[in-house]
Amino acid sequence: TLAVGFSTSVGSIVVRYNPTFSRAAGTAYSTPLRPDVVIEFGEHALAFDAKYRLDRFDVSDADTDDDPATYKRADLYKMHTYRDAIAKLDAAVVVYPGSEFVFFERAGSKRRSPCDVGSLEGVGAVPLRPADSDPTTQLRALLQHLLTLQRPVV
């Protein structure tokens, strides 16, 4: 078991488990928030939050579990909450047991593949489906890609 607030680092990358962001600490501007995992590198921070639910596009008695499944809109709203309320957070991504990847860049682009994401800033959903032969493929691809992006200068 990991303690709430546990933190470890690998080189210049810091991974925090259930860190608390609060108004009193000056890390959030409203109510206390606690995403599952926050990854910090340089001046950047990314939040990942697991949600164990999804919406199926087509459900029938003959469901093979291969039908497309997508994130719940309410879970994406929660990612907006994290992204908008936590100071210095670039992106927030829901990790869910579906099949659809999506990342909405703050500048307006909607990306359907981890390698197409062009900005650290935004919200998204990445599938991690235990039944897949390699369930972490898209999550690993997204992390590798995001760790190489630079935040645009505004």
Side-chain angles (χ1 to χ4, degrees), residues 44-127:
H44 308 294
L46 312 170
F48 293 87
D49 206 56
K51 301 295 183 196
Y52 302 103
R53 54 196 195 161
L54 51 85
D55 281 335
R56 287 222 180 263
F57 291 127
D58 297 310
V59 179
S60 71
D61 291 336
D63 188 8
T64 63
D65 203 30
D66 292 333
D67 294 329
T70 190
Y71 54 89
K72 287 195 159 286
R73 188 170 287 184
D75 295 338
L76 199 59
Y77 292 156
K78 181 70 172 197
M79 297 309 101
H80 276 283
T81 301
Y82 288 153
R83 167 62 182 86
D84 298 339
I86 297 173
K88 300 181 183 177
L89 193 65
D90 294 296
V93 178
V94 63
V95 179
Y96 77 108
S99 58
E100 181 183 12
F101 173 89
V102 67
F103 189 83
F104 296 93
E105 295 175 0
R106 190 169 181 92
S109 297
K110 180 179 181 181
R111 306 299 182 172
R112 295 288 189 174
S113 167
C115 297
D116 291 339
V117 174
S119 171
L120 279 172
E121 296 189 29
V123 297
V126 63

